[in-house]
Amino acid sequence: MMRRLLPIALLPLLAVTVFAQDEAPPEANPAEAISNEIFGPRVPTDYAFGAFQRGYFLTALEFALPLAEQGDAAAQTLIAEIYAKGLGVAQSDERAAGWYQLASNNGDMLATFELALYYQDGIGVPKNRARAADLFKKAAEAGYVPAKYNLALLHVEGIYASPSLTTAAALMKEAADAELPEAQYDYGTMLIEGAGLAPNPEEGARYIGLAAEQNLIAAEIDYATLLYLGQGVEKDASAAATWYQRAAEAGNAVAQNRYAKLLAVGEGVTLSLEDAAMWRALARRQGLSDPSLDRLLVSIPPAELASAEERARFWPSPPPTAETILEIPTTTAPETESPALPAPTDAGEAPTGEPPAADPASEAAPQDP
């Protein structure tokens, strides 16, 4: 499923821009004059961005304003960023939008992209998706990769840009080849489904794998499923379990549920009912219940179930132990012994389902996560 790219931080991108400085440089000493004759004049120091990098936002604003008033697009974008995030000043979407507009008018593609996002969501300006589409196109034509991705999505939607899966696929590939993980994932999906181009499951799986390696959780889950089913890649339950675990540890409920299933039957990973019950508890905490997983865990011993529930309570940290409690320094008198906590679950709340088959081999039959 394709998604909108979230607004990106401009700080790393502004670093590649050198602002012109109109202040007269200090008088060059003889050594500097000789150096300039041999090596050429030095690149002007970017005082505004230097201050911004170090967190001196008001100083950065002071240096950037004179340049911005003279039409320096990079300085205007820097000021817009300061107001957009309220860095040392009162946050103001309206003022940020105004500075982004000025910078866009002066050819700054970063500002053009940010302004497109503002019009798309109605931030600081009236919501106008047609205007946003024009700005995305302008930034994409200037070579800005995230704009190409957003423009591709608009061509898929076919409302504010011409409906064309072929055009969308071409733009998506450009963004994917520029290593934008969202584009890698969506382009891989288009290849698998044959949307706008000939189906190619192997190449689609490869692009989704690239997005997974960049920690895109949706890609991690889909790549795990491709590995489990052997679609576009060689079937590998062990690798699938590793990718499900990675997404599960990032907090994704779907991955937690699927990883629990693999643990419950020992497919691609060492069988552990207690670990499976812990991941099931974490998925349930986010509202995901699965009767098929409950049936796989119906035979878990009560002690293991209680341990799993306790681990889930403190996850990702381990539950406290007597040793760790004793290590915590205290300056107050020890409290009186508190009553024992009730068990995490009682017999009446145990998962219900079909009883396990008599044949142990049938219990360990592979399950489709």
Side-chain angles (χ1 to χ4, degrees), residues 161-183:
S162 59
S164 173
L165 289 177
T166 302
T167 303
L171 287 167
M172 198 70 76
K173 185 179 188 305
E174 290 182 30
D177 289 341
E179 300 184 352
L180 187 69
E182 292 83 358

Side-chain angles (χ1 to χ4, degrees), residues 6 19 25 39 42 46-47 55 115 124 130 139 148 152 158 193 228 256 281 285-286 324 330 348 358:
L6 295 178
F19 300 151
F39 301 107
R42 296 181 180 181
D46 180 1
Y47 296 111
L115 187 62
K148 293 181 181 181
E193 297 177 351
Y228 182 83
Q256 290 168 347
R285 183 186 298 174
Q286 299 188 66
T324 58
T330 178

Side-chain angles (χ1 to χ4, degrees), residues 222-277:
D222 280 8
Y223 191 55
T225 302
L226 292 172
L227 286 164
Y228 182 83
L229 299 175
Q231 294 182 352
V233 290
E234 184 177 351
K235 184 178 175 67
D236 189 338
S238 178
T242 299
W243 283 108
Y244 279 135
Q245 180 184 9
R246 184 166 165 174
E249 290 174 346
N252 183 272
V254 172
Q256 290 168 347
N257 177 266
R258 295 183 182 180
Y259 185 52
K261 285 184 174 182
L262 294 179
L263 285 163
V265 298
E267 188 176 7
V269 68
T270 303
L271 187 148
S272 174
L273 294 182
E274 182 178 328
D275 288 346

Side-chain angles (χ1 to χ4, degrees), residues 9 20 53 71 80 98 117 127 146 150 161 176 191 207 215 223 229 241 253 284 295 297 303 308 310 352 358 361:
Q53 275 188 309
L117 292 175
K127 187 172 183 177
N150 277 264
L191 281 165
Y207 272 99
N215 303 316
Y223 191 55
L229 299 175
R284 281 179 168 180
R295 288 192 292 272
L297 294 174
E310 183 74 358
T352 60

Side-chain angles (χ1 to χ4, degrees), residues 98-148:
W99 283 108
Y100 280 135
Q101 181 66 72
L102 288 173
S104 177
N105 292 344
N106 287 316
D108 192 300
M109 64 180 180
L110 308 183
T112 301
F113 176 74
E114 289 295 321
L115 187 62
L117 292 175
Y118 272 40
Y119 275 107
Q120 178 173 273
D121 298 326
I123 300 173
V125 292
K127 187 172 183 177
N128 187 335
R129 295 197 60 202
R131 171 67 172 150
D134 290 339
L135 290 167
F136 281 135
K137 183 178 180 182
K138 179 180 177 182
E141 290 174 347
Y144 192 49
V145 172
K148 293 181 181 181

